[in-house]
Amino acid sequence: MPRPFLFCPKRRYMQINFTRYLVLLGFSLALLASAQGAPQSGGDFSSNPDAKKLPTNTILVKGAWSSASDSATPLPETGKVAQSVYTNPYFGLTYSFSPDWTEKYSGPPPSDSGYYVLAQIRPANTSKGTSRGSILITAQDLFFTLTPATSALELVNFTTANLSTDYQVEQPPAEVRIAGHSFVRFSYVSPVAQLHWTVLATQIRCHAVQFVVTSRETNLIETVIQEMNRMSLPNDANPTSGMGGSDLPVCIKDYVTGENVTERVDPILTERRFNPVPVRIVIDKEGKVKHIHFLSAFPEQAAVVTDALWQWRFKPYILDGHPVEVETGIMFGHPPRATTPRTTRVATE
Amino acid sequence: MKIVKLGLILAILAAFIVPAIARAQSDPGVRPGAINGQSGATATNPLPLPSVLQNNPAGSLEFFQNGLTRFQAVESVSNSPTGNSGLGPRFNLNQCSGCHSQPSIGGSSPASNLEFQVIANGVVSGSTNSIPSFLSSNGPTREARFPFFFNSNGSPNTNAPNGGVEDLFTVSGRSDAGNCSLPQPSFSTAQQTNNIIFRIPTPVFGAGLIENIDDSTLLANHSAQASNNFGIGGTFNHNGNDGTIARFGWKAQNKSLVLFSGEAYNVEMGISNEIFGQDRPLPGEDQLGSGLPSSCLNLSGTGYPEDITNFSPTVSSSDSFAQNASINSDVVAFAEFMRMLAPPIPSSTTPGGATSISNGRALFNSIGCATCHTPTINSTQPSNITSSLGRSPVSAFSDIEIHHMGTGLTDNVSQGGAGGDQFRTAPLWGLGQRIFFLHDGRTSNLLSAIEAHQSSGSEATQVEENFDALSPSQQQDLLNFLRSL
């Protein structure tokens, strides 16, 4: 007798249950459809005509790159050109150049051997094929250089000694005064290109800071150099001994050795990478790490090394009877490479 | 009266502009004459290394020829009468030499784009495939990549980097592809959202020499260039397994020629092999959990991998070397071909004459091009394969390093240790007879390619600035030199 059964309370209960099942089934099917459709909308397939566009000419995917433990402390690479003035708070450098020169393109990130392109300045009216000259401002971190040099002077001397046969030396390295500071000046020419280069180098905070002026016109180069006398630099800028100090940390190579380190927690880098990770740290007067600057590191490397470095403790560095801040370099990751270059290139080819 | 004035102005302008244009430097274009500068080379018969040409060691020439033949084989999905089954289910083209053919087999993108002709040539079904708009009949052969996955609303998701190859075509609709039904990726949407980049084939002439440079030699060259005054840094990409320097591909992401050919066979042609043993889904199909549908698997009917080492010779020749060569898998045969392929020989006179080329070479060195495009690396390690590969200079005009190339060239694809804007210094040997330049083949004009080296974030900006400082005739000499390579 099925009929009475249709009207019984139990039947009503089953109807409710059945409705629930239908609703649940509907949801499940919708979810299933959504799950199956995921690749069609979220992977290599998309049909939304109003989708957001990516910016063009923008580096979104960075490899090993520079970073720091805070955004307020000046870094070598954060100098700027504005209104014909190049200002670099890290180096304490202000360089006012000719108002008809400008920077069109910013430089690449620091290399993993500590080489910086700080600014590239050229006449604003440069049109294609008619460049009159350029000023390239670079810095080489002397803690990480691949060149066997411990000072800006040695770096310039090495460059001179290893100058390709494509060039002729016009002025060998010699000390000059620029804006009241000592620089080493070195000039050479490419006879075939009829291009002249003058390098002016000094040392600031254990970096060889170089101004490379290039032009076909030697008088233009001299004018540029004359205008450099308007530059302001820190007191200790010197091709052989620019080591910071005063209001700045004292820079010391290989400070992280022996009894200088009182507590050390080694970072555990879990990702297999093969890149050098050069790091500059500032140690405060109490021996704690105050600032960390990665010249080149993948983000996960920077995070792990940062966590470890905050736990390091150092013996305070005493200068003239007083503790002072120290800036030094540490290489993590891939072991540093040989710094004695072999001549492998056939230069005249 | 106005017309007279206008005519006068135009005449004056013409008097100044026309001579200027006539003087202006220009790309001489693809160098005519001997293919790769080699006497005896043809478009379908590139020359092997000198020692291989002399069949030293015995059998090497047979292996080279075998690899060359297989490099030209047309692949089918199934039932190939020549045994070349396994194409797809997704692919870019059905023949290595279809893309690597300028100026001869082993080269780069040809003048006539076979990818554009796949429907007309019956390689794919026109009812299930369309030709993406970024291909053209006389444009470069290309592979496409989406730097980022799309999110659910169809926008590129910058938190989800992709960068894998999005194969252009599917086998769906081919008579030898059964019921496999696959759509092409959303190329038009990717273009609308700027979420697509392209790569063209790298030429493989002289690749065996590049493969045989010891890491220590590359590192020493890197150190030797470190004191340059051009703003150039550079670093190396590394193989993820053993940590040594990788060297093939636009970002130096591949360590060896076997790996290079194995990846290409799988990614560009959809053929599984002893290095990449499965049919390859698109990155989205793989990483979002679906994979390829079962109806598109094992289409060849052979099982996996589709390309294998043969346990016995596949030819009935009485020549034992021919029998030996036939035992190789296709991937190994391709690698043998590339490894023994001779590098191009530059011309000393064309274009522009010997003086111009010589001058251009000196200018190339002087303004800094040679810092990255190292003219010659001395030299390869001893070779256990053939004498031409050992103790040889490598005049590839590359340091095999990866360099930041800035916002103008970035493709936002990371491969190994290379970031989105880092590229291997492209070897320039053979440049004189290439048609398309830069990683995506965006230009056929050498002058434009040089100018593209300059942008924010590029290590080459200062060198390009130095190029701009040259006189038009000097620039012409440099262009002539490059086209002589």
Side-chain angles (χ1 to χ4, degrees):
Chain A
M1 293 289 286
R3 191 177 173 89
F5 206 83
L6 287 173
F7 296 98
C8 75
K10 194 174 178 181
R11 162 69 179 153
R12 196 178 300 159
Y13 174 74
M14 285 183 74
Q15 272 185 319
I16 292 166
N17 261 0
F18 184 65
T19 308
R20 281 180 179 165
Y21 285 137
L22 275 178
V23 171
L24 275 172
L25 184 64
F27 272 119
S28 301
L29 285 172
L31 282 172
L32 192 61
S34 165
Q36 285 176 337
Q40 298 295 317
S41 61
D44 312 282
F45 305 96
S46 173
S47 56
N48 180 359
D50 301 320
K52 189 179 167 187
K53 288 186 176 183
L54 291 175
T56 56
N57 294 332
T58 306
I59 302 168
L60 299 169
V61 177
K62 295 178 177 176
W65 209 269
S66 61
S67 60
S69 56
D70 67 65
S71 57
T73 306
L75 305 171
E77 66 267 33
T78 51
K80 296 285 180 204
V81 171
Q83 297 177 323
S84 302
V85 179
Y86 173 66
T87 307
N88 190 310
Y90 176 86
F91 289 117
L93 174 67
T94 304
Y95 169 38
S96 176
F97 51 85
S98 178
D100 57 349
W101 288 49
T102 189
E103 181 182 57
K104 187 171 181 183
Y105 301 113
S106 57
S111 78
D112 57 24
S113 56
Y115 184 59
Y116 296 84
V117 174
L118 301 179
Q120 301 167 107
I121 302 163
R122 63 182 188 175
N125 60 357
T126 295
S127 59
K128 283 179 183 176
T130 59
S131 174
R132 292 183 58 226
S134 61
I135 306 166
L136 172 68
I137 309 175
T138 67
Q140 173 62 60
D141 189 323
L142 293 166
F143 295 160
F144 304 115
T145 178
L146 297 176
T147 303
T150 60
S151 68
L153 177 62
E154 287 182 13
L155 191 72
V156 171
N157 284 337
F158 179 86
T159 304
T160 312
N162 292 274
L163 199 65
S164 155
T165 53
D166 298 298
Y167 309 105
Q168 291 175 3
V169 174
E170 293 186 301
Q171 291 180 20
E175 186 179 350
V176 295
R177 301 289 291 179
I178 302 285
H181 294 271
S182 175
F183 279 72
V184 58
R185 175 179 172 154
F186 165 49
S187 298
Y188 56 99
V189 62
S190 161
V192 65
Q194 297 166 300
L195 275 175
H196 301 263
W197 282 265
T198 290
V199 179
L200 290 157
T202 192
Q203 185 174 313
I204 306 172
R205 298 181 74 167
C206 296
H207 293 79
V209 177
Q210 297 195 110
F211 296 77
V212 183
V213 189
T214 311
S215 179
R216 302 170 74 88
E217 307 162 31
T218 52
N219 58 350
L220 178 71
I221 292 176
E222 294 306 323
T223 301
V224 168
I225 292 170
Q226 284 299 315
E227 290 173 349
M228 284 182 178
N229 281 307
R230 298 199 296 257
M231 187 160 45
S232 66
L233 295 153
N235 289 334
D236 79 316
N238 185 287
T240 56
S241 60
M243 292 182 59
S246 187
D247 294 336
L248 297 172
V250 175
C251 56
I252 302 174
K253 188 175 184 180
D254 299 331
Y255 186 74
V256 185
T257 51
E259 61 183 15
N260 291 335
V261 188
T262 57
E263 288 181 46
R264 175 178 181 139
V265 177
D266 285 327
I268 298 172
L269 295 165
T270 53
E271 190 97 3
R272 276 192 87 214
R273 301 280 196 181
F274 305 96
N275 57 308
V277 181
V279 185
R280 272 219 174 199
I281 60 171
V282 176
I283 303 163
D284 70 13
K285 295 175 183 176
E286 295 173 347
K288 294 178 183 173
V289 175
K290 179 183 176 184
H291 182 255
I292 305 167
H293 175 211
F294 293 89
L295 282 68
S296 178
F298 288 95
E300 82 277 1
Q301 292 175 322
V304 169
V305 172
T306 298
D307 286 347
L309 283 173
W310 287 138
Q311 301 175 66
W312 290 26
R313 295 291 181 271
F314 297 85
K315 192 172 75 175
Y317 184 71
I318 307 297
L319 185 67
D320 298 331
H322 302 284
V324 296
E325 291 185 346
V326 173
E327 183 173 22
T328 191
I330 316 169
M331 182 67 86
F332 292 94
H334 197 276
R337 289 158 292 188
T339 55
T340 307
R342 280 193 275 137
T343 302
T344 57
R345 183 159 62 91
V346 179
T348 53
E349 283 211 338
Chain B
M1 192 65 182
K2 281 183 180 175
I3 292 171
V4 174
K5 276 187 179 174
L6 184 63
L8 187 64
I9 291 167
L10 285 174
I12 292 168
L13 282 173
F16 281 99
I17 292 172
V18 171
I21 292 171
R23 276 200 313 270
Q25 65 288 1
S26 63
D27 178 4
V30 174
R31 190 182 76 238
I35 286 175
N36 278 337
Q38 299 159 335
S39 175
T42 70
T44 52
N45 279 298
L47 294 188
L49 294 161
S51 59
V52 176
L53 192 60
Q54 295 163 11
N55 199 25
N56 180 19
S60 58
L61 186 58
E62 195 73 58
F63 273 64
F64 173 80
Q65 294 294 350
N66 180 281
L68 171 60
T69 300
R70 295 204 216 184
F71 207 78
Q72 299 170 83
V74 174
E75 306 291 337
S76 301
V77 180
S78 62
N79 302 318
S80 164
T82 55
N84 293 305
S85 293
L87 181 72
R90 296 183 180 280
F91 65 102
N92 286 327
L93 203 57
N94 58 346
Q95 186 183 27
C96 301
S97 61
C99 295
H100 290 274
S101 60
Q102 173 64 29
S104 74
I105 292 168
S108 187
S109 191
S112 179
N113 185 358
L114 287 177
E115 285 179 332
F116 188 75
Q117 300 165 30
V118 289
I119 294 174
N121 291 343
V123 178
V124 303
S125 165
S127 61
T128 53
N129 285 268
S130 60
I131 305 296
S133 62
F134 50 81
L135 297 180
S136 60
S137 62
N138 57 359
T141 54
R142 283 174 154 166
E143 65 168 32
R145 296 170 186 251
F146 299 165
F148 301 98
F149 287 107
F150 294 106
N151 62 24
S152 56
N153 72 7
S155 298
N157 180 0
T158 52
N159 290 319
N162 177 352
V165 173
E166 303 286 335
D167 288 296
L168 305 182
F169 307 111
T170 81
V171 298
S172 303
R174 278 179 60 124
S175 60
D176 59 355
N179 296 321
C180 173
S181 176
L182 290 172
Q184 291 170 282
S186 303
F187 293 121
S188 59
T189 306
Q191 284 184 289
Q192 287 163 18
T193 56
N194 300 326
N195 189 28
I196 189 168
I197 65 94
F198 308 110
R199 300 270 179 86
I200 66 170
T202 54
V204 295
F205 303 117
L209 290 165
I210 292 174
E211 188 180 46
N212 204 36
I213 304 171
D214 189 74
D215 283 14
S216 62
T217 306
L218 295 172
L219 290 165
N221 182 60
H222 178 59
S223 292
Q225 307 301 331
S227 59
N228 73 82
N229 284 324
F230 303 116
I232 294 166
T235 191
F236 291 101
N237 205 345
H238 292 86
N239 177 41
N241 287 321
D242 64 0
T244 56
I245 294 173
R247 49 196 74 194
F248 296 109
W250 282 104
K251 301 215 173 196
Q253 70 271 20
N254 279 325
K255 167 70 183 169
S256 70
L257 290 171
V258 172
L259 189 62
F260 185 67
S261 60
E263 186 201 349
Y265 214 23
N266 189 234
V267 172
E268 311 293 346
M269 298 168 76
I271 297 177
S272 57
N273 54 69
E274 289 165 333
I275 304 180
F276 297 90
Q278 286 76 39
D279 273 325
R280 177 181 177 271
L282 295 174
E285 289 170 326
D286 203 30
Q287 296 186 23
L288 294 180
S290 60
L292 288 165
S294 58
S295 60
C296 295
L297 295 175
N298 196 22
L299 293 175
S300 67
T302 61
Y304 291 99
E306 289 149 331
D307 170 43
I308 56 169
T309 304
N310 302 297
F311 293 123
S312 58
T314 59
V315 294
S316 55
S317 167
S318 58
D319 181 345
S320 64
F321 294 123
Q323 290 189 8
N324 292 346
S326 75
I327 290 173
N328 274 342
S329 65
D330 286 348
V331 162
V332 171
F334 298 152
E336 295 278 23
F337 162 66
M338 293 188 284
R339 187 176 291 124
M340 294 190 276
L341 193 55
I345 297 173
S347 169
S348 59
T349 56
T350 306
T355 303
S356 174
I357 290 170
S358 174
N359 205 37
R361 179 182 287 262
L363 290 164
F364 181 86
N365 292 335
S366 296
I367 67 170
C369 307
T371 305
C372 301
H373 291 284
T374 308
T376 299
I377 290 178
N378 278 319
S379 56
T380 56
Q381 59 193 1
S383 174
N384 196 22
I385 298 172
T386 185
S387 60
S388 291
L389 285 175
R391 304 287 191 210
S392 296
V394 185
S395 299
F397 291 86
S398 173
D399 55 10
I400 316 296
E401 294 175 34
I402 51 173
H403 294 273
H404 292 281
M405 295 309 298
T407 55
L409 287 173
T410 185
D411 70 359
N412 285 316
V413 171
S414 172
Q415 292 182 277
D421 66 326
Q422 288 172 292
F423 291 89
R424 178 186 70 156
T425 304
L428 301 183
W429 54 11
L431 186 75
Q433 294 185 325
R434 283 184 58 182
I435 297 172
F436 301 103
F437 301 120
L438 303 173
H439 63 277
D440 50 9
R442 66 179 69 179
T443 182
S444 292
N445 187 323
L446 198 48
L447 200 55
S448 300
I450 292 170
E451 287 167 353
H453 282 58
Q454 190 175 53
S455 66
S456 283
S458 171
E459 294 177 33
T461 292
Q462 181 61 44
V463 172
E464 210 284 330
E465 188 71 23
N466 293 344
F467 177 79
D468 286 348
L470 299 178
S471 69
S473 68
Q474 288 174 318
Q475 292 184 352
Q476 188 62 60
D477 287 344
L478 205 152
L479 291 166
N480 288 345
F481 161 66
L482 290 172
R483 281 298 194 181
S484 78
L485 297 177

